[in-house]
mmCIF file of all heavy atoms in Angstrom:
data_model
loop_
_atom_site.group_PDB
_atom_site.id
_atom_site.type_symbol
_atom_site.label_atom_id
_atom_site.label_comp_id
_atom_site.label_asym_id
_atom_site.label_seq_id
_atom_site.Cartn_x
_atom_site.Cartn_y
_atom_site.Cartn_z
ATOM 1 N N TYR A 1 0.885 -1.172 0.000
ATOM 2 C CA TYR A 1 0.000 0.000 0.000
ATOM 3 C C TYR A 1 0.918 1.216 0.000
ATOM 4 O O TYR A 1 1.347 1.710 1.036
ATOM 5 C CB TYR A 1 -0.950 -0.053 1.202
ATOM 6 C CG TYR A 1 -1.925 -1.201 1.068
ATOM 7 C CD1 TYR A 1 -1.619 -2.457 1.583
ATOM 8 C CD2 TYR A 1 -3.108 -1.050 0.366
ATOM 9 C CE1 TYR A 1 -2.477 -3.526 1.423
ATOM 10 C CE2 TYR A 1 -3.978 -2.120 0.202
ATOM 11 C CZ TYR A 1 -3.657 -3.343 0.727
ATOM 12 O OH TYR A 1 -4.513 -4.406 0.551
ATOM 13 N N TYR A 2 1.185 1.682 -1.187
ATOM 14 C CA TYR A 2 2.270 2.642 -1.444
ATOM 15 C C TYR A 2 1.735 4.068 -1.522
ATOM 16 O O TYR A 2 0.641 4.273 -2.066
ATOM 17 C CB TYR A 2 2.940 2.243 -2.770
ATOM 18 C CG TYR A 2 4.020 3.182 -3.232
ATOM 19 C CD1 TYR A 2 5.321 3.026 -2.790
ATOM 20 C CD2 TYR A 2 3.732 4.229 -4.099
ATOM 21 C CE1 TYR A 2 6.316 3.890 -3.203
ATOM 22 C CE2 TYR A 2 4.718 5.105 -4.522
ATOM 23 C CZ TYR A 2 6.006 4.924 -4.073
ATOM 24 O OH TYR A 2 6.982 5.780 -4.471
ATOM 25 N N PRO A 3 2.448 5.065 -0.996
ATOM 26 C CA PRO A 3 3.743 4.996 -0.313
ATOM 27 C C PRO A 3 3.565 4.964 1.207
ATOM 28 O O PRO A 3 3.064 5.914 1.787
ATOM 29 C CB PRO A 3 4.414 6.284 -0.766
ATOM 30 C CG PRO A 3 3.272 7.261 -0.935
ATOM 31 C CD PRO A 3 2.057 6.454 -1.322
ATOM 32 N N SER A 4 3.967 3.892 1.834
ATOM 33 C CA SER A 4 3.828 3.762 3.280
ATOM 34 C C SER A 4 5.097 4.236 3.991
ATOM 35 O O SER A 4 6.131 4.457 3.371
ATOM 36 C CB SER A 4 3.528 2.305 3.653
ATOM 37 O OG SER A 4 4.512 1.448 3.112
ATOM 38 N N GLU A 5 4.989 4.386 5.313
ATOM 39 C CA GLU A 5 6.134 4.813 6.115
ATOM 40 C C GLU A 5 6.132 4.063 7.434
ATOM 41 O O GLU A 5 5.075 3.644 7.927
ATOM 42 C CB GLU A 5 6.122 6.329 6.328
ATOM 43 C CG GLU A 5 4.809 6.888 6.836
ATOM 44 C CD GLU A 5 4.780 8.414 6.832
ATOM 45 O OE1 GLU A 5 5.808 9.031 6.519
ATOM 46 O OE2 GLU A 5 3.727 8.979 7.164
ATOM 47 N N LEU A 6 7.318 3.873 7.988
ATOM 48 C CA LEU A 6 7.506 3.123 9.225
ATOM 49 C C LEU A 6 7.921 4.058 10.352
ATOM 50 O O LEU A 6 8.585 5.070 10.133
ATOM 51 C CB LEU A 6 8.581 2.048 9.039
ATOM 52 C CG LEU A 6 8.368 1.028 7.918
ATOM 53 C CD1 LEU A 6 9.547 0.051 7.872
ATOM 54 C CD2 LEU A 6 7.067 0.277 8.090
ATOM 55 N N LEU A 7 7.538 3.674 11.574
ATOM 56 C CA LEU A 7 7.844 4.480 12.757
ATOM 57 C C LEU A 7 9.195 4.063 13.334
ATOM 58 O O LEU A 7 9.429 2.880 13.604
ATOM 59 C CB LEU A 7 6.753 4.287 13.811
ATOM 60 C CG LEU A 7 6.876 5.112 15.094
ATOM 61 C CD1 LEU A 7 6.675 6.590 14.804
ATOM 62 C CD2 LEU A 7 5.865 4.626 16.135
ATOM 63 N N CYS A 8 10.078 5.035 13.524
ATOM 64 C CA CYS A 8 11.376 4.758 14.147
ATOM 65 C C CYS A 8 11.140 4.322 15.592
ATOM 66 O O CYS A 8 10.458 5.017 16.347
ATOM 67 C CB CYS A 8 12.269 5.997 14.115
ATOM 68 S SG CYS A 8 13.839 5.771 15.021
ATOM 69 N N PRO A 9 11.685 3.171 16.003
ATOM 70 C CA PRO A 9 11.409 2.655 17.350
ATOM 71 C C PRO A 9 12.120 3.402 18.466
ATOM 72 O O PRO A 9 11.834 3.176 19.635
ATOM 73 C CB PRO A 9 11.923 1.210 17.261
ATOM 74 C CG PRO A 9 13.003 1.250 16.229
ATOM 75 C CD PRO A 9 12.543 2.273 15.213
ATOM 76 N N LEU A 10 13.036 4.295 18.121
ATOM 77 C CA LEU A 10 13.788 5.007 19.153
ATOM 78 C C LEU A 10 13.352 6.458 19.294
ATOM 79 O O LEU A 10 13.084 6.932 20.397
ATOM 80 C CB LEU A 10 15.291 4.942 18.849
ATOM 81 C CG LEU A 10 16.216 5.600 19.876
ATOM 82 C CD1 LEU A 10 16.083 4.917 21.234
ATOM 83 C CD2 LEU A 10 17.666 5.567 19.406
ATOM 84 N N ARG A 11 13.266 7.162 18.158
ATOM 85 C CA ARG A 11 12.943 8.590 18.207
ATOM 86 C C ARG A 11 11.517 8.892 17.752
ATOM 87 O O ARG A 11 11.100 10.047 17.750
ATOM 88 C CB ARG A 11 13.947 9.374 17.350
ATOM 89 C CG ARG A 11 15.387 9.205 17.826
ATOM 90 C CD ARG A 11 16.353 10.063 17.033
ATOM 91 N NE ARG A 11 17.728 9.830 17.462
ATOM 92 C CZ ARG A 11 18.545 8.941 16.907
ATOM 93 N NH1 ARG A 11 18.110 8.213 15.873
ATOM 94 N NH2 ARG A 11 19.764 8.775 17.352
ATOM 95 N N TYR A 12 10.783 7.869 17.346
ATOM 96 C CA TYR A 12 9.372 8.007 16.969
ATOM 97 C C TYR A 12 9.158 9.008 15.841
ATOM 98 O O TYR A 12 8.223 9.809 15.860
ATOM 99 C CB TYR A 12 8.526 8.344 18.197
ATOM 100 C CG TYR A 12 8.741 7.358 19.325
ATOM 101 C CD1 TYR A 12 9.359 7.737 20.507
ATOM 102 C CD2 TYR A 12 8.374 6.030 19.168
ATOM 103 C CE1 TYR A 12 9.600 6.819 21.523
ATOM 104 C CE2 TYR A 12 8.603 5.102 20.180
ATOM 105 C CZ TYR A 12 9.218 5.506 21.345
ATOM 106 O OH TYR A 12 9.450 4.589 22.339
ATOM 107 N N GLN A 13 10.048 8.963 14.862
ATOM 108 C CA GLN A 13 9.898 9.731 13.631
ATOM 109 C C GLN A 13 9.457 8.772 12.529
ATOM 110 O O GLN A 13 9.775 7.586 12.546
ATOM 111 C CB GLN A 13 11.222 10.396 13.242
ATOM 112 C CG GLN A 13 11.754 11.372 14.279
ATOM 113 C CD GLN A 13 13.162 11.850 13.959
ATOM 114 O OE1 GLN A 13 13.779 11.407 13.002
ATOM 115 N NE2 GLN A 13 13.677 12.765 14.769
ATOM 116 N N TRP A 14 8.731 9.302 11.540
ATOM 117 C CA TRP A 14 8.240 8.483 10.437
ATOM 118 C C TRP A 14 9.235 8.523 9.290
ATOM 119 O O TRP A 14 9.686 9.592 8.876
ATOM 120 C CB TRP A 14 6.868 8.965 9.978
ATOM 121 C CG TRP A 14 5.812 8.750 11.013
ATOM 122 C CD1 TRP A 14 5.344 9.661 11.924
ATOM 123 C CD2 TRP A 14 5.106 7.536 11.269
ATOM 124 N NE1 TRP A 14 4.390 9.092 12.729
ATOM 125 C CE2 TRP A 14 4.223 7.781 12.346
ATOM 126 C CE3 TRP A 14 5.135 6.268 10.697
ATOM 127 C CZ2 TRP A 14 3.369 6.804 12.849
ATOM 128 C CZ3 TRP A 14 4.284 5.287 11.198
ATOM 129 C CH2 TRP A 14 3.413 5.563 12.270
ATOM 130 N N VAL A 15 9.570 7.338 8.765
ATOM 131 C CA VAL A 15 10.564 7.199 7.707
ATOM 132 C C VAL A 15 9.930 6.456 6.534
ATOM 133 O O VAL A 15 9.316 5.398 6.727
ATOM 134 C CB VAL A 15 11.797 6.417 8.215
ATOM 135 C CG1 VAL A 15 12.807 6.209 7.088
ATOM 136 C CG2 VAL A 15 12.432 7.151 9.396
ATOM 137 N N PRO A 16 10.034 6.978 5.299
ATOM 138 C CA PRO A 16 9.456 6.290 4.138
ATOM 139 C C PRO A 16 9.981 4.863 4.012
ATOM 140 O O PRO A 16 11.172 4.601 4.211
ATOM 141 C CB PRO A 16 9.906 7.156 2.956
ATOM 142 C CG PRO A 16 10.130 8.510 3.538
ATOM 143 C CD PRO A 16 10.654 8.271 4.930
ATOM 144 N N PHE A 17 9.095 3.949 3.676
ATOM 145 C CA PHE A 17 9.485 2.550 3.572
ATOM 146 C C PHE A 17 10.575 2.338 2.523
ATOM 147 O O PHE A 17 11.469 1.506 2.692
ATOM 148 C CB PHE A 17 8.274 1.682 3.237
ATOM 149 C CG PHE A 17 8.621 0.238 3.008
ATOM 150 C CD1 PHE A 17 8.877 -0.600 4.073
ATOM 151 C CD2 PHE A 17 8.736 -0.272 1.720
ATOM 152 C CE1 PHE A 17 9.235 -1.929 3.875
ATOM 153 C CE2 PHE A 17 9.083 -1.592 1.509
ATOM 154 C CZ PHE A 17 9.335 -2.428 2.591
ATOM 155 N N LYS A 18 10.510 3.078 1.431
ATOM 156 C CA LYS A 18 11.490 2.900 0.365
ATOM 157 C C LYS A 18 12.905 3.211 0.857
ATOM 158 O O LYS A 18 13.884 2.703 0.314
ATOM 159 C CB LYS A 18 11.143 3.776 -0.839
ATOM 160 C CG LYS A 18 11.208 5.279 -0.593
ATOM 161 C CD LYS A 18 10.749 6.048 -1.813
ATOM 162 C CE LYS A 18 10.722 7.556 -1.582
ATOM 163 N NZ LYS A 18 12.074 8.099 -1.372
ATOM 164 N N ILE A 19 13.027 4.036 1.890
ATOM 165 C CA ILE A 19 14.333 4.322 2.487
ATOM 166 C C ILE A 19 14.727 3.219 3.466
ATOM 167 O O ILE A 19 15.881 2.811 3.536
ATOM 168 C CB ILE A 19 14.311 5.687 3.198
ATOM 169 C CG1 ILE A 19 14.151 6.805 2.172
ATOM 170 C CG2 ILE A 19 15.558 5.884 4.042
ATOM 171 C CD1 ILE A 19 14.054 8.179 2.797
ATOM 172 N N ALA A 20 13.749 2.716 4.212
ATOM 173 C CA ALA A 20 14.040 1.728 5.255
ATOM 174 C C ALA A 20 14.326 0.339 4.688
ATOM 175 O O ALA A 20 15.121 -0.413 5.263
ATOM 176 C CB ALA A 20 12.870 1.648 6.233
ATOM 177 N N LYS A 21 13.710 -0.011 3.565
ATOM 178 C CA LYS A 21 13.779 -1.388 3.064
ATOM 179 C C LYS A 21 15.203 -1.917 2.872
ATOM 180 O O LYS A 21 15.511 -3.033 3.329
ATOM 181 C CB LYS A 21 12.995 -1.525 1.756
ATOM 182 C CG LYS A 21 13.015 -2.939 1.183
ATOM 183 C CD LYS A 21 12.293 -3.015 -0.131
ATOM 184 C CE LYS A 21 12.314 -4.444 -0.678
ATOM 185 N NZ LYS A 21 13.671 -4.928 -0.968
ATOM 186 N N PRO A 22 16.109 -1.200 2.199
ATOM 187 C CA PRO A 22 17.452 -1.766 2.005
ATOM 188 C C PRO A 22 18.154 -2.095 3.315
ATOM 189 O O PRO A 22 18.934 -3.049 3.382
ATOM 190 C CB PRO A 22 18.192 -0.653 1.242
ATOM 191 C CG PRO A 22 17.118 0.156 0.600
ATOM 192 C CD PRO A 22 15.976 0.115 1.553
ATOM 193 N N HIS A 23 17.869 -1.339 4.369
ATOM 194 C CA HIS A 23 18.505 -1.568 5.657
ATOM 195 C C HIS A 23 17.845 -2.736 6.390
ATOM 196 O O HIS A 23 18.528 -3.524 7.058
ATOM 197 C CB HIS A 23 18.443 -0.303 6.503
ATOM 198 C CG HIS A 23 19.152 0.858 5.871
ATOM 199 N ND1 HIS A 23 20.480 1.147 6.111
ATOM 200 C CD2 HIS A 23 18.723 1.782 4.961
ATOM 201 C CE1 HIS A 23 20.838 2.198 5.393
ATOM 202 N NE2 HIS A 23 19.788 2.612 4.696
ATOM 203 N N LEU A 24 16.523 -2.867 6.245
ATOM 204 C CA LEU A 24 15.830 -3.999 6.862
ATOM 205 C C LEU A 24 16.178 -5.307 6.161
ATOM 206 O O LEU A 24 16.065 -6.382 6.755
ATOM 207 C CB LEU A 24 14.312 -3.764 6.826
ATOM 208 C CG LEU A 24 13.802 -2.607 7.689
ATOM 209 C CD1 LEU A 24 12.314 -2.386 7.454
ATOM 210 C CD2 LEU A 24 14.067 -2.883 9.163
ATOM 211 N N ASP A 25 16.581 -5.231 4.892
ATOM 212 C CA ASP A 25 17.027 -6.431 4.184
ATOM 213 C C ASP A 25 18.290 -7.008 4.822
ATOM 214 O O ASP A 25 18.561 -8.205 4.722
ATOM 215 C CB ASP A 25 17.317 -6.113 2.714
ATOM 216 C CG ASP A 25 16.039 -5.909 1.905
ATOM 217 O OD1 ASP A 25 14.985 -6.380 2.362
ATOM 218 O OD2 ASP A 25 16.104 -5.274 0.841
ATOM 219 N N LYS A 26 19.064 -6.148 5.489
ATOM 220 C CA LYS A 26 20.344 -6.577 6.059
ATOM 221 C C LYS A 26 20.198 -7.050 7.491
ATOM 222 O O LYS A 26 20.869 -7.988 7.924
ATOM 223 C CB LYS A 26 21.351 -5.429 5.991
ATOM 224 C CG LYS A 26 21.678 -4.986 4.560
ATOM 225 C CD LYS A 26 22.602 -3.773 4.569
ATOM 226 C CE LYS A 26 22.880 -3.295 3.150
ATOM 227 N NZ LYS A 26 23.737 -2.068 3.146
ATOM 228 N N LYS A 27 19.341 -6.391 8.277
ATOM 229 C CA LYS A 27 19.144 -6.808 9.666
ATOM 230 C C LYS A 27 17.741 -6.397 10.110
ATOM 231 O O LYS A 27 17.200 -5.387 9.643
ATOM 232 C CB LYS A 27 20.192 -6.189 10.584
ATOM 233 C CG LYS A 27 20.286 -4.676 10.544
ATOM 234 C CD LYS A 27 21.405 -4.178 11.463
ATOM 235 C CE LYS A 27 21.511 -2.644 11.441
ATOM 236 N NZ LYS A 27 22.573 -2.168 12.356
ATOM 237 N N PRO A 28 17.119 -7.174 11.004
ATOM 238 C CA PRO A 28 15.714 -6.940 11.353
ATOM 239 C C PRO A 28 15.462 -5.692 12.182
ATOM 240 O O PRO A 28 14.405 -5.087 12.069
ATOM 241 C CB PRO A 28 15.321 -8.201 12.116
ATOM 242 C CG PRO A 28 16.599 -8.752 12.644
ATOM 243 C CD PRO A 28 17.641 -8.408 11.626
ATOM 244 N N TYR A 29 16.423 -5.306 13.033
ATOM 245 C CA TYR A 29 16.197 -4.134 13.882
ATOM 246 C C TYR A 29 17.086 -2.990 13.419
ATOM 247 O O TYR A 29 18.317 -3.117 13.367
ATOM 248 C CB TYR A 29 16.488 -4.442 15.352
ATOM 249 C CG TYR A 29 16.389 -3.207 16.230
ATOM 250 C CD1 TYR A 29 15.162 -2.611 16.471
ATOM 251 C CD2 TYR A 29 17.530 -2.627 16.789
ATOM 252 C CE1 TYR A 29 15.065 -1.472 17.255
ATOM 253 C CE2 TYR A 29 17.441 -1.494 17.583
ATOM 254 C CZ TYR A 29 16.196 -0.915 17.805
ATOM 255 O OH TYR A 29 16.094 0.208 18.565
ATOM 256 N N VAL A 30 16.453 -1.872 13.090
ATOM 257 C CA VAL A 30 17.177 -0.703 12.600
ATOM 258 C C VAL A 30 16.596 0.534 13.280
ATOM 259 O O VAL A 30 15.367 0.671 13.397
ATOM 260 C CB VAL A 30 17.038 -0.550 11.063
ATOM 261 C CG1 VAL A 30 17.771 0.695 10.585
ATOM 262 C CG2 VAL A 30 17.566 -1.787 10.357
ATOM 263 N N VAL A 31 17.460 1.435 13.735
ATOM 264 C CA VAL A 31 17.004 2.746 14.212
ATOM 265 C C VAL A 31 16.755 3.594 12.958
ATOM 266 O O VAL A 31 17.677 4.169 12.385
ATOM 267 C CB VAL A 31 18.036 3.400 15.139
ATOM 268 C CG1 VAL A 31 17.547 4.780 15.581
ATOM 269 C CG2 VAL A 31 18.291 2.513 16.354
#
């Protein structure tokens, strides 16, 4: 459901999924 965004678990800022995806591909937990 594009364009979605994810909530940063530490600072509670919203980050576009397209930015977060490459980093989540490498490890499950990302700030």
Side-chain angles (χ1 to χ4, degrees):
Y1 293 90
Y2 176 86
S4 55
E5 51 189 355
L6 303 179
L7 183 67
C8 174
L10 182 62
R11 300 184 183 92
Y12 307 113
Q13 299 171 356
W14 293 97
V15 177
F17 175 77
K18 65 184 177 66
I19 293 177
K21 180 183 181 297
H23 299 269
L24 293 174
D25 286 340
K26 297 176 182 177
K27 56 182 180 179
Y29 175 69
V30 179
V31 178

